[in-house]
Amino acid sequence: MSKPAGAASPRAANVEVRGLVRRFGSITAVDGVDLDVAEGEVFGFLGPNGAGKSTMVRMLVTLLRPSAGAARVAGYDVVKEAAKVRRVIGVALQDAALDPLMTGRELLRLQATLHGIPRGHVEARGGELLERVGLTAAADRRVGTYSGGMRRRLDLAMALIHEPAVLFLDEPTTGLDPMSRISLWEEVRRLNIDHGTTVFLTTQYLEEADELAQRVAIIDRGRIVREGPPAELKAQVGEPTLQVVVPEGDLERAAEVLRHFGEPAPARPDSLAVHLAGGAAGLAAVVRALDERGVQPVSMELTAPSLDDVFVEATGRRLEGAQADPAVPAP
Amino acid sequence: MSAGGVVSLSRRSISNTLRQPQMWVPSMAFPLIFTALNTGAMGRATRLPGFPAESFLDFAVATAVVQGVLFGATAGGSDMAVDIQDGFFDRLVSSPVSRPTIVLARLAGAAVLGAVQSLVFMAILTAFGAQVRGGAPAVLTIVAVAMLLAMAIGGLSVAIALKTGSSEVVQAAFPVFFISLFTSSAFFPRELMSGWFKTVASVNPLSFMIESVRALIIGGFHVGDAMRALAIVAALAGVSLLLSLRALRSRLAAG
Ligand SMILES: Nc1ncnc2c1ncn2[C@@H]1O[C@H](COP(=O)(O)OP(=O)(O)O)[C@@H](O)[C@H]1O
Ligand SMILES: [Mg+2]
């Protein structure tokens, strides 16, 4: 396919956000966000439920007006040039709103017309996308009969109908089984590599951000608390964590030994953990020191810092199961 | 505004109504059942002095068409509310299609269904012996009236959908349309009414529209009757269109 219908002169397919705020009554869902997504990048927007991810996406795709601040998508202002923004973006919102009474093919056809794709190209383009997301066999069934994974894939295909320069995916894999999740990841990666599509993806899943995103921003209670490539963020948290399980009688002696190798880390009751100051290289020394004091570890496990550790370090809470703000009632 | 957008969205609106039999079967069946019952029960009413038609069935054609359209055209509003609840509306709004297109396509869909419905009613009732004395010009006028009426009712229900975003509220508004029909001369000639009922029917614009349509069926085609019927529904459709576009603007501004 050539350039999307009605696309303006070539410009960077990037996202720039400056001081963006969105309030709902007394709730500040997005609280002064600055960020930049470069052209051709997969950007992960990671945060717990209620952190403000969807609100952010809805402002960027022109569905919500910012209370303050500004954002540009592909160089167009999301408020003043909203119509132009809509022409260059692909959008798959959190709930994959699809009409259950229509078939997959009909929905793609409709979406193509809404994007002004010339009539002669509509069928071919729809067929190509159905093939790509593996829905050819189900194309003429009503969407009401589709599984969750099929719905997401159709939603993605619809978002891609006009070859958008910037693709927004709001929690594209929430509620999917692991297989469907992986196939969606592959599609996003392929899009990014083969077509150079810029992808802005929100997720509550650490592995997803880790797996897909070249850069992530961690959002919590409407604010960006960390931003950068996953590897760099993890390195900033610092040392790997060593978990040691020891017989109950040895707990105290073992703790004394481990104290010399780094800061203690939270651990289960029957075990000890330490942020290993010398990195993985220090492991041999720990084993020797424990042996010298006659401590026989039941097991030892060295884990590199995860994005979860990054989240914990930034917010003091774990991401899995974290709620943004217990004081805020569920919508 | 893109023509392609209006056409595809109206097509969706029509086919979605047809794919939900509960959306159109009652509006086809009830007016016909009503007509059958009334023709049986009230056949002798035609002998009352002042009754405008010789056959009750002729009298009932206009009633059936208006009742059916009134019943059916709220489907557009319910479907719009469902779109809002499901987030499909957001999909449309985040696409490059112009926003008024989203509303206009619903009304166009309602108009097409209204046209088909009026033709089907006239065909069935004619088969049972009703006569449209105004001939083809009357039939065309009645189809146009049905289309405009469908847009008027569809537009109001779309406006309610956009204002509230709730299909329950749209459905709750339904009895209001029906009361407005029952308090008109749809079911009984004004000449034979009395008291407050006659007063209400005499200020209800639906009465004048129905009487004009009925005149085309019973008395033959007169330009004056056709114009009066069209003018009344066109005015209603215009008001309704304005209300729905205003509701659209305020929903989008709230975003
Ligand atoms: N339309 C709305 N009206 C009121 N509050 C809202 C609305 N949308 C979101 N919120 C609130 O804003 C906060 C962020 O929500 P959201 O952006 O949906 O978070 P996330 O997508 O990260 O789960 C939550 O506290 C939510 O309750
Ligand atoms: Mg969300």
Side-chain angles (χ1 to χ4, degrees):
Chain A
M1 278 282 289
S2 50
K3 276 270 133 196
S9 53
R11 31 169 84 225
N14 63 348
V15 180
E16 293 170 77
V17 178
R18 296 290 174 270
L20 206 60
V21 174
R22 173 67 204 211
R23 296 185 201 92
F24 296 106
S26 60
I27 298 169
T28 304
V30 169
D31 192 3
V33 166
D34 294 293
L35 57 84
D36 286 280
V37 179
E39 178 168 38
E41 185 170 49
V42 178
F43 188 82
F45 204 55
L46 175 68
N49 216 346
K53 303 182 294 297
S54 294
T55 305
M56 184 75 190
V57 168
R58 294 173 71 82
M59 286 192 281
L60 294 178
V61 303
T62 79
L63 285 175
L64 265 182
R65 246 164 249 224
S67 307
R72 304 181 86 82
V73 174
Y76 299 119
D77 187 282
V78 296
V79 176
K80 293 186 210 99
E81 298 170 291
K84 288 183 177 143
V85 171
R86 282 180 217 125
R87 242 174 264 146
V88 298
I89 56 172
V91 183
L93 294 175
Q94 192 167 349
D95 305 310
L98 299 169
D99 184 339
L101 295 169
M102 294 173 77
T103 69
R105 196 187 303 282
E106 286 170 340
L107 273 168
L108 275 169
R109 208 181 277 151
L110 175 67
Q111 183 89 353
T113 322
L114 297 180
H115 280 278
I117 290 177
R119 259 172 81 174
H121 296 270
V122 168
E123 290 305 318
R125 181 77 184 133
E128 181 188 315
L129 279 166
L130 284 164
E131 188 71 50
R132 195 152 119 200
V133 299
L135 286 175
T136 305
D140 298 306
R141 263 167 51 195
R142 289 197 190 170
V143 170
T145 68
Y146 283 20
S147 70
M150 291 164 81
R151 294 171 58 90
R152 294 287 187 169
R153 279 182 280 144
L154 179 60
D155 194 22
L156 180 64
M158 288 174 75
L160 296 177
I161 195 92
H162 55 300
E163 301 223 311
V166 185
L167 178 64
F168 291 90
L169 302 174
D170 193 4
E171 299 202 24
T173 67
T174 298
L176 290 193
D177 60 273
M179 287 294 288
S180 308
R181 178 173 299 172
I182 288 168
S183 87
L184 210 126
W185 286 356
E186 278 165 7
E187 190 50 51
V188 171
R189 223 177 264 129
R190 194 139 59 95
L191 250 164
N192 179 248
I193 294 168
D194 297 352
H195 300 258
T197 310
T198 307
V199 181
F200 187 103
L201 161 132
T202 81
T203 181
Q204 315 188 31
Y205 300 123
L206 300 155
E207 332 85 90
E208 186 157 293
D210 224 350
E211 194 61 41
L212 284 180
Q214 284 126 36
R215 275 188 327 124
V216 296
I218 299 179
I219 182 170
D220 186 43
R221 296 171 181 164
R223 290 172 188 233
I224 304 284
V225 291
R226 288 291 180 278
E227 189 190 336
E232 249 172 55
L233 293 180
K234 289 187 277 193
Q236 280 164 18
V237 180
E239 308 83 16
T241 307
L242 178 66
Q243 292 258 0
V244 188
V245 180
V246 294
E248 213 175 316
D250 293 344
L251 266 177
E252 229 166 273
R253 256 184 305 154
E256 208 172 292
V257 173
L258 289 177
R259 201 175 307 136
H260 300 293
F261 294 92
E263 291 293 312
R268 288 192 308 268
D270 64 339
S271 65
L272 296 161
V274 62
H275 294 299
L276 211 54
L283 191 57
V286 176
V287 175
R288 256 193 320 267
L290 286 172
D291 191 45
E292 271 165 25
R293 297 293 306 270
V295 178
Q296 290 285 320
V298 178
S299 74
M300 294 180 81
E301 193 188 356
L302 191 65
T303 42
S306 66
L307 278 178
D308 199 22
D309 297 317
V310 176
F311 188 81
V312 171
E313 194 241 355
T315 67
R317 290 169 296 132
R318 302 213 86 80
L319 178 60
E320 306 294 347
Q323 286 296 321
D325 191 348
V328 176
Chain B
M1 199 190 315
S2 77
V6 177
V7 171
S8 322
L9 286 172
S10 328
R11 189 180 299 149
R12 164 175 184 253
S13 180
I14 294 165
S15 75
N16 278 10
T17 303
L18 296 179
R19 284 173 193 187
Q20 301 171 87
Q22 76 274 18
M23 287 291 194
W24 62 271
V25 169
S27 73
M28 289 305 295
F30 286 144
L32 291 173
I33 295 170
F34 234 83
T35 309
L37 293 177
N38 274 346
T39 310
M42 316 239 284
R44 275 184 301 167
T46 52
R47 288 192 218 143
L48 292 173
F51 196 87
E54 280 165 35
S55 123
F56 194 85
L57 197 57
D58 289 352
F59 175 83
V61 175
T63 315
V65 169
V66 170
Q67 192 186 4
V69 170
L70 214 61
F71 221 134
T74 51
S78 314
D79 281 350
M80 174 73 101
V82 170
D83 270 1
I84 293 170
Q85 285 164 337
D86 287 355
F88 201 87
F89 181 77
D90 285 340
R91 175 188 294 286
L92 299 179
V93 166
S94 63
S95 84
V97 77
S98 93
R99 276 96 185 269
T101 297
I102 300 169
V103 164
L104 295 177
R106 284 272 173 218
L107 301 192
V112 170
L113 288 172
V116 172
Q117 207 178 6
S118 62
L119 282 168
V120 170
F121 280 146
M122 285 190 276
I124 292 177
L125 295 175
T126 319
F128 279 93
Q131 275 194 337
V132 179
R133 292 195 173 71
V139 170
L140 285 180
T141 308
I142 293 169
V143 170
V145 167
M147 292 175 83
L148 286 165
L149 183 64
M151 290 175 77
I153 302 299
L156 275 183
S157 64
V158 163
I160 297 170
L162 287 166
K163 263 252 134 50
T164 64
S166 148
S167 52
E168 281 85 9
V169 177
V170 174
Q171 271 143 31
F174 189 76
V176 177
F177 297 133
F178 251 70
I179 289 168
S180 66
L181 185 66
F182 277 102
T183 56
S184 76
S185 54
F187 295 94
F188 215 66
R190 248 188 319 146
E191 291 86 333
L192 301 180
M193 291 177 185
S194 60
W196 66 268
F197 200 79
K198 182 167 189 164
T199 317
V200 172
S202 299
V203 294
N204 187 337
L206 286 180
S207 297
F208 299 98
M209 185 200 76
I210 287 173
E211 285 162 20
S212 307
V213 169
R214 195 172 278 148
L216 295 171
I217 296 168
I218 295 169
F221 186 78
H222 296 288
V223 176
D225 289 326
M227 285 310 191
R228 189 160 68 137
L230 286 171
I232 293 171
V233 268
L236 293 177
V239 170
S240 203
L241 178 64
L242 283 181
L243 287 176
S244 58
L245 290 176
R246 235 177 58 179
L248 174 70
R249 225 184 9 229
S250 74
R251 168 162 288 271
L252 294 173

